[in-house]
Amino acid sequence: MPTALITGATSGLGAAFARRLAADAFSLVLVSRDALRLAQTADQLKLRYGVSVEVLPADLGTEEGLSRVESRLHDGVDLLVNNAGFGHRRHFPDVPVEDEVRMLKVHCEAVLRLTLAALPGMRERDRGAIVNVASAAAFFPRGTYSASKAWVVNFSESAATEIRNPRIKIMALCPGFVRTEFHQRAAMDSGSIPGFLWLKADNVVRAAMRDLALGRRVSIPDARYKAIVAVGRLVPRGLQAYVSQRIGR
C-alpha cells in the first residue's frame, strides 16, 4: 500500500487531498499544527475509508516542526503534498517583518527541505511524486504571498528538470480562489472576489491528480484560471498588478 504525507492536512486542499488519497487506498501521514483537529481528521478518514492514518503534529514555521517532518520523510513515502500555507490580512510593507519571514519559512524553506528529505527514498525506489501547492497568484505581482508562490513554481519546475527521471514526478499546483478556511484564517475580506472565480477543493484535487499522472510540471486547474494566467502573461506587469489589486488577493 503506498504512503502519502500531506502538510496542512486538516482543512481546505490538504483535507481534500487526504480524502482523495484515502479513497485511492493510500496510507496517510497527516501533518498540521492543531493536534486535536489532526486526531479528529484521522479518526474520520480511518472510519470512512479503512486506511492507516498516522498523525504528526508539527509547526512548519519552526525549526523543531520542520525537523520532525524531515525525519519522517527519511523513512520513505510514495507521495509528498507540500500544502501548508497562509496569507496576510495587511499589505506589504505594513506586514510585520517576523510574519513575512515566517511566510517564507513555511512557503519556501519547508517546501525545499521536505522535498530534499523525500527525494532520496524515491530515487532509491525509482518512483515517487511530489506536489507543491502554489497559487495562480504566482503569476501576478502581489506582495510576499505571490512572490513566495512564484518561487514554489520555479523551484518545482527546476527540481523536476534536475531529477531527469520520468518515474519521479514533481509538480506545482496553482489553483485560484478555493472555498476553504484560507481567507477566514487570515481575516481577509473576500467579498470583492467575483463568485465565478471560486473553485471547489475536491475539484482542484481531482484536476491535480490527473495532471500529475500526465506528467505535467505545472497544474492550473480549471479553464477559467488557465485563461487568466495566459492573458496575464501577455499584458504589462503594471496592468497585472492593477487587476490583481482590484479583484483581491
Side-chain angles (χ1 to χ4, degrees), residues 9-221:
T10 57
S11 64
L13 286 175
F17 267 109
R19 292 191 297 269
R20 168 60 189 262
L21 294 171
D24 289 344
F26 275 75
S27 295
L28 301 177
V29 182
L30 306 183
V31 179
S32 174
R33 290 184 301 167
D34 189 334
L36 177 58
R37 195 171 183 184
L38 202 56
Q40 293 171 340
T41 300
D43 289 342
Q44 292 168 0
L45 290 167
K46 286 187 283 189
L47 182 62
R48 180 173 180 180
Y49 299 102
V51 296
S52 170
V53 183
E54 177 185 343
V55 296
L56 182 56
D59 182 350
L60 298 183
T62 67
E63 182 60 33
E64 179 185 4
L66 260 176
S67 296
R68 290 191 68 196
V69 183
E70 282 178 313
S71 296
R72 177 58 184 84
L73 287 169
H74 290 153
D75 294 335
V77 298
D78 299 280
L79 173 61
L80 166 63
V81 181
N82 279 314
N83 168 73
F86 61 94
H88 293 316
R89 179 178 62 85
R90 298 160 72 180
H91 298 265
F92 181 88
D94 299 325
V95 179
V97 66
E98 58 269 22
D99 294 341
E100 295 278 48
V101 171
R102 177 178 172 82
M103 174 173 282
L104 292 176
K105 191 171 186 70
V106 174
H107 290 186
C108 300
E109 183 181 343
V111 169
L112 170 66
R113 289 174 56 175
L114 299 188
T115 296
L116 287 172
L119 277 174
M122 293 180 180
R123 298 179 79 175
E124 183 178 342
R125 296 189 303 276
D126 194 35
R127 57 180 168 80
I130 299 171
V131 176
N132 295 324
V133 178
S135 169
F139 304 101
F140 298 88
R142 187 66 188 264
T144 305
Y145 180 84
S146 294
S148 67
K149 293 303 185 179
W151 182 89
V152 172
V153 174
N154 194 309
F155 167 73
S156 300
E157 291 185 284
S158 300
T161 299
E162 293 292 333
I163 292 299
R164 299 190 190 92
N165 185 342
R167 292 176 58 82
I168 300 176
K169 300 173 181 178
I170 302 177
M171 184 184 80
L173 172 60
C174 302
F177 297 113
V178 185
R179 293 289 186 188
T180 67
E181 300 174 7
F182 179 88
H183 291 83
Q184 179 183 351
R185 286 185 172 185
M188 292 179 183
D189 179 9
S190 59
S192 64
I193 302 171
F196 72 91
L197 289 179
W198 288 103
L199 305 176
K200 294 181 179 179
D202 289 331
N203 293 343
V204 170
V205 170
R206 186 181 305 115
M209 296 304 293
R210 178 198 63 215
D211 287 346
L212 186 66
L214 292 172
R216 291 178 178 158
R217 295 180 179 180
V218 178
S219 172
I220 303 174

